Amino acid sequence: QVTLKESGPGILQPSQTLSLTCTFSGFSLSTYGMGVGWIRQPSGKGLEWLANIWWDDDKYYNPSLKNRLTISKDTSNNQAFLKITNVDTADTATYYCARITYYGYNYPLYFDYWGQGVMVTVSS
Amino acid sequence: EIVLTQSPTTMAASPGEKVTLNCLASSSVSYMNWYQQKSGASPKLWIYGTSNLASGVPNRFSGSGSGTSYSLTISSMEAEDVATYYCLQLSSYPPTFGGGTKLELK
């Protein structure tokens, strides 16, 4: 069965770099078509897509945050990572990782399995 | 970037009532996905590819639409349907979510 779990620092100060880890099981990021995305949600607000990484190491970023985001993976350990540089209070949110699968050109893309989320607070 | 506008923002429905949630895209998209999020929980895939129910979703739910207009319909509201529902488009980068519709029980 597919599971994902996020981990992070909990709290950090403005201007620091946020490092998040997504540890997953039930699939491999070295398998054709597999991908992992990061999505965040400030408390009481909506969802915002941040980045995707694919089995072939293709990477996509939210243009509004692109200069601050770096997504990567470690296929041997079934992990995906997201770094956000120069954080400020607006980055306070619950961060989710989720699986996405490419079935082919004529098939829809969607995030099917999500982690429980990790809450991150940016505060001085 | 495609902006998704969901309506209504909040609504209350009585048990047994038919409910329709809407998602309007600023440009045409090929399909729409829907997620259900209950308080304190992660979003759950609910409908994918416009009209396909995710595993375990009751068949009182349905999805429809095309182009810029999509909807999620509950044929008969039940208490367990209380949640916030988000639409998500992934047919055009960057992926974007709607602002959500909070569905309450009357």
Side-chain angles (χ1 to χ4, degrees):
Chain A
Q1 102 246 31
V2 174
T3 65
L4 303 96
K5 186 172 183 180
E6 307 86 349
S7 57
I11 186 165
L12 67 166
Q13 295 185 335
S15 80
Q16 289 186 320
T17 295
L18 169 61
S19 295
L20 298 166
T21 300
C22 175
T23 304
F24 53 86
S25 63
F27 69 99
S28 172
L29 260 180
S30 60
T31 300
Y32 177 91
M34 289 295 159
V36 167
W38 287 93
I39 301 103
R40 70 181 179 181
Q41 184 174 38
S43 180
K45 298 191 176 179
L47 299 160
E48 179 183 32
W49 172 77
L50 299 175
N52 285 352
I53 189 165
W54 293 96
W55 80 99
D56 58 359
D57 212 36
D58 213 0
K59 299 164 187 173
Y60 294 86
Y61 296 102
N62 187 320
S64 67
L65 291 154
K66 182 175 181 178
N67 292 339
R68 300 173 52 214
L69 301 178
T70 303
I71 193 169
S72 60
K73 61 183 171 69
D74 178 351
T75 53
S76 300
N77 290 305
N78 284 344
Q79 292 180 315
F81 310 98
L82 183 71
K83 289 189 190 297
I84 306 179
T85 60
N86 194 27
V87 298
D88 70 7
T89 55
D91 296 307
T92 295
T94 296
Y95 286 78
Y96 298 100
C97 62
R99 190 183 78 163
I100 184 169
T101 308
Y102 176 73
Y103 292 105
Y105 180 76
N106 288 324
Y107 292 85
L109 288 169
Y110 48 88
F111 297 108
D112 52 3
Y113 293 91
W114 294 58
Q116 64 189 29
V118 62
M119 192 173 299
V120 174
T121 301
V122 179
S123 174
S124 55
Chain B
E1 170 176 316
I2 293 178
V3 175
L4 301 181
T5 302
Q6 289 189 241
S7 62
T9 305
T10 307
M11 72 170 294
S14 301
E17 184 178 345
K18 182 178 179 179
V19 172
T20 299
L21 311 182
N22 301 297
C23 181
L24 190 67
S26 59
S27 297
S28 181
V29 297
S30 303
Y31 57 89
M32 192 61 68
N33 305 309
W34 293 87
Y35 291 82
Q36 180 196 69
Q37 186 177 34
K38 296 197 173 184
S39 180
S42 307
K44 285 186 179 178
L45 178 66
W46 215 244
I47 295 174
Y48 65 94
T50 302
S51 59
N52 302 288
L53 299 187
S55 177
V57 174
N59 60 14
R60 62 180 178 274
F61 284 86
S62 63
S64 63
S66 65
T68 60
S69 182
Y70 293 83
S71 61
L72 179 158
T73 299
I74 308 172
S75 60
S76 178
M77 175 75 180
E78 294 195 12
E80 68 175 14
D81 302 334
V82 168
T84 299
Y85 293 85
Y86 294 94
C87 55
L88 163 66
Q89 72 80 21
L90 267 160
S91 61
S92 171
Y93 267 93
T96 47
F97 288 91
T101 292
K102 186 175 183 180
L103 179 59
E104 300 171 330
L105 194 65
K106 196 183 291 181

